[in-house]
Amino acid sequence: MPRGINTNCLHLESEEGRSEHYGSLSYPIYQTATYAHPGVGQSTGYDYTRLQNPTREHLEKIVLTLENGTDALALSSGMAAIALMMELFKPGDHLIIDSDLYGGSIRLFDNVSVKNGIEFSAVECYREDVESYIKENTKAVYIETPTNPMMNITDIEALSKICRKHNIWLIVDNTFLSPYFQKPLDLGADIVIHSGTKYLGGHNDTIAGFVITNKDDISERLRFLIKTTGAGLAPFDAWLILRGIKTLGLRMEKSAGNAGTIADWLITRENVTKVYYPGLIDHPGHEIMKRQCSGYGAIITFKVASKEYAHKVLSKVKMIKFAESLGGTETLITYPITQTHADVPRDVLVRNGITDTTLRLSVGIEDVKDILDELEKVFKETEEELYAGEKS
Ligand SMILES: *Cc1c(COP(=O)(O)O)cnc(C)c1O
């Protein structure tokens, strides 16, 4: 009988009933570079940590179980995971990419992949006819859903049918929802990407990334690439992510619950001109989210009245940290235009609607009242300073 995801965050069925590691409940950190061989042609199963390490392998098994994959590779960052995945392609290959993506992914594609001869078409996958962009040399479609930061929602199952028909891969960066809320492989994707730095690790203390697949041929090529290019996750960092994953479900539920409350509050504010949160029933992707996810996540993008308003909010927050990143225990507020999306070309920002009034909240697991109290105070002070004397 398949077990629930909260159980799978803690236990691997294959490891049960053994008395390895002295019964240690915490998986040991095998802080070693190399492994001694019992004899010529004999191995303990491990040769050298760049190839594999027991701590990293344990983490990979937990993550592949959560995503219903057959293989998961743990890398030293989300970008290392995406860069490794891009090595599956060769010069002349064409990829369709979502036009609203994590800024670092756009930077990699524009500056590294293009130099390596890969062609791209940026498409608004949530509303355009993706099929009409497929060419002879198209090898994959690469999406995020929800997108970063505009929270556009793509129907993964519908897109996977188009990909299957044309015999191309569907790759989904699932960082924003984590496998707790969304499992792209179950919906027909071939490869899933994670920045493990975000919800999987969850504590804003470790950088990591994952590539997960359920296709044996892809897995075989990725295993060759990780040992050859060498960006596998270090044993101690693998242990930190393992520790974080234990509470994935609790953190996702709490932060998504908080986010729902905050989104409802934001839409009532006079100087908040737009709220992008797929849990709101008037969000254009709400119905698709209801079908393909089990929760709406904890990222809220919103627009305020002016650039000055945005800048004041960012300089006044205290408990809420003005910082890059998302998916951790602490609530963060990000200014995409100068942070996550600073290297994204101007025309792409304009097309996606990322402006100097756009803010992104990654809602954490604090008591929601305390987050609301701080936002209330910061908005009030901002309005007093900006509009002093306007209203009598
Ligand atoms: C952060 C992030 C990445 C990059 O991950 P790092 O761990 O920072 O290298 C990729 N995709 C998304 C959606 C992200 O949020």
Side-chain angles (χ1 to χ4, degrees), residues 34 60 65 74 78 86 92 110 125 140 159 182 186 220 262 267 299:
T34 190
E60 291 176 344
T65 308
M86 285 307 294
D110 281 355
C125 294
L159 187 53
Q182 175 169 277
D186 287 357
E220 201 176 305
I262 292 166
I267 55 175
I299 310 293

Side-chain angles (χ1 to χ4, degrees), residues 32-33 35 45-58 60 71-74 223 226-227 233:
T32 185
Y35 307 82
Y46 302 92
D47 301 311
Y48 188 60
T49 281
R50 171 154 40 74
L51 280 58
Q52 194 49 295
N53 173 285
T55 315
R56 190 177 101 205
E57 187 170 43
H58 187 72
E60 291 176 344
D71 198 11
L73 293 90
R223 285 285 160 199
I226 197 172
K227 95 174 164 195
L233 189 62

Side-chain angles (χ1 to χ4, degrees), residues 151 181 199 251-267 275-280 295-301 331 361-368 371-372 375:
M151 310 302 290
F181 283 144
Y199 289 106
R251 288 184 285 101
M252 292 310 296
E253 292 289 355
K254 175 68 179 162
S255 55
N258 283 354
T261 306
I262 292 166
D264 285 342
W265 178 84
L266 282 170
I267 55 175
V275 180
Y276 305 84
Y277 180 66
L280 295 170
Y296 301 106
I299 310 293
I300 306 170
T301 297
T331 297
L361 269 179
S362 169
V363 179
I365 63 167
E366 297 93 346
D367 292 293
V368 71
I371 307 172
L372 287 173
L375 287 173

Side-chain angles (χ1 to χ4, degrees), residues 303-323:
K303 286 188 177 163
V304 291
S306 64
K307 174 181 165 185
E308 293 67 35
Y309 197 107
H311 285 205
K312 281 199 185 286
V313 168
L314 292 168
S315 61
K316 285 177 188 301
V317 286
K318 290 198 176 72
M319 178 190 81
I320 298 172
K321 297 294 184 279
F322 170 26

Side-chain angles (χ1 to χ4, degrees), residues 25-329:
L25 283 199
S26 163
Y27 198 92
I29 306 169
Y30 282 90
Q31 190 64 52
T32 185
T34 190
Y35 307 82
H37 297 290
V40 177
Q42 296 177 329
S43 165
T44 59
Y46 302 92
D47 301 311
Y48 188 60
T49 281
R50 171 154 40 74
L51 280 58
Q52 194 49 295
N53 173 285
T55 315
R56 190 177 101 205
E57 187 170 43
H58 187 72
L59 169 62
E60 291 176 344
K61 285 182 180 161
I62 295 269
V63 170
L64 80 84
T65 308
L66 301 183
E67 285 285 5
N68 282 334
T70 53
D71 198 11
L73 293 90
L75 283 297
S76 60
S77 69
M79 289 320 302
I82 300 169
L84 187 89
M85 178 278 295
M86 285 307 294
E87 293 297 332
L88 294 169
F89 303 102
K90 60 180 190 314
D93 285 352
H94 171 250
L95 267 70
I96 293 169
I97 53 167
D98 220 316
S99 58
D100 184 35
L101 289 177
Y102 175 68
S105 304
I106 298 176
R107 182 173 54 212
L108 176 82
F109 299 154
D110 281 355
N111 297 285
V112 182
S113 310
V114 165
K115 179 203 73 184
N116 292 340
I118 316 287
E119 293 168 29
F120 294 94
S121 298
V123 176
E124 289 180 304
C125 294
Y126 73 101
R127 66 168 184 193
E128 284 191 82
D129 175 17
V130 176
E131 195 165 14
S132 67
Y133 289 85
I134 296 177
K135 306 193 287 185
E136 193 93 306
N137 56 341
T138 304
K139 292 290 155 59
V141 178
Y142 180 95
I143 65 163
E144 293 173 16
T145 179
T147 60
N148 185 353
M150 299 313 291
M151 310 302 290
N152 298 315
I153 307 302
T154 295
D155 184 331
I156 299 176
E157 196 165 16
L159 187 53
S160 81
K161 285 185 181 142
I162 295 171
C163 291
R164 193 144 309 156
K165 183 173 147 200
H166 292 270
N167 201 20
I168 62 178
W169 294 334
L170 176 60
I171 305 163
V172 181
D173 180 335
N174 198 29
T175 299
F176 264 38
L177 290 175
S178 91
Y180 187 77
F181 283 144
Q182 175 169 277
K183 293 185 183 63
L185 297 177
D186 287 357
L187 298 165
D190 302 288
I191 298 175
V192 170
I193 297 286
H194 273 286
S195 168
T197 313
K198 315 295 169 52
Y199 289 106
L200 292 173
H203 291 71
N204 287 324
D205 60 9
T206 315
I207 302 282
F210 294 91
V211 188
I212 305 117
T213 183
N214 55 6
K215 306 283 181 309
D216 290 345
D217 55 329
I218 298 176
S219 151
E220 201 176 305
R221 291 172 65 192
L222 289 170
R223 285 285 160 199
F224 173 80
L225 287 166
I226 197 172
K227 95 174 164 195
T228 304
T229 58
L233 189 62
F236 181 63
D237 288 353
W239 183 85
L240 282 167
I241 302 292
L242 271 171
R243 189 181 205 279
I245 284 180
K246 292 188 183 199
T247 55
L248 178 68
L250 293 172
R251 288 184 285 101
M252 292 310 296
E253 292 289 355
K254 175 68 179 162
S255 55
N258 283 354
T261 306
I262 292 166
D264 285 342
W265 178 84
L266 282 170
I267 55 175
T268 68
R269 300 295 306 197
E270 204 186 329
N271 288 290
V272 174
T273 57
K274 181 101 185 131
V275 180
Y276 305 84
Y277 180 66
L280 295 170
I281 48 169
D282 60 351
H283 185 285
H286 183 71
E287 288 304 316
I288 299 172
M289 282 291 276
K290 255 168 65 180
R291 265 202 324 271
Q292 73 182 10
C293 314
S294 57
Y296 301 106
I299 310 293
I300 306 170
T301 297
F302 62 102
K303 286 188 177 163
V304 291
S306 64
K307 174 181 165 185
E308 293 67 35
Y309 197 107
H311 285 205
K312 281 199 185 286
V313 168
L314 292 168
S315 61
K316 285 177 188 301
V317 286
K318 290 198 176 72
M319 178 190 81
I320 298 172
K321 297 294 184 279
F322 170 26
E324 211 149 329
S325 200
L326 61 101
T329 37

